[in-house]
């Protein structure tokens, strides 16, 4: 999958992660978007590195989506823990 595919996947994974984990985020929509993109890249890297699932698979591969959404959720939770109280 190309970098553009991973960015699109990251945007969608970030939206799904935000839907699964509602609430106020310190960075708002923009921060959640970047967290989703980073989560997709990190989830894909972890999937390829330790789960032996190639990241060059098809865009519609369920394991790739699960890794991207999982990575976005982990980053979103970490972001909320670190910066959650900075927004009033």
């Amino acid at each position: 999958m190309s970098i553009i595919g991973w960015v699109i996947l990251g945007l969608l994974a970030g939206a799904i992660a935000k839907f699964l984990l509602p609430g106020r985020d310190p960075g708002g929509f923009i921060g959640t978007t970047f967290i989703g993109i980073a989560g997709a890249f990190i989830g894909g890297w972890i999937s390829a590195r330790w789960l032996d699932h190639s990241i060059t698979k098809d865009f519609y591969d369920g394991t790739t989506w699960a890794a991207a959404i999982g990575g976005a959720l982990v980053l979103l939770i970490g972001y909320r823990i670190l910066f959650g109280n900075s927004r009033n």
Side-chain angles (χ1 to χ4, degrees):
M1 187 167 23
S2 69
I3 295 292
I4 305 252
W6 276 104
V7 169
I8 293 170
L9 177 64
L11 290 170
L12 296 172
I16 292 169
K18 177 67 177 163
F19 177 76
L20 293 174
L21 197 64
R24 291 179 60 139
D25 291 320
F29 178 74
I30 302 292
T32 303
T33 301
F34 286 123
I35 287 172
I37 293 170
F41 279 103
I42 291 171
W45 177 74
I46 289 171
S47 177
R49 174 80 174 170
W50 286 296
L51 301 178
D52 199 30
H53 184 75
S54 175
I55 60 171
T56 59
K57 296 285 184 183
D58 190 32
F59 182 79
Y60 300 104
D61 184 41
T63 307
T64 302
W65 277 87
I69 294 168
L73 280 170
V74 167
L75 285 182
L76 186 59
I77 291 168
Y79 185 66
R80 284 184 181 180
I81 289 171
L82 291 175
F83 302 106
N85 294 330
S86 65
R87 184 175 177 188
N88 293 328

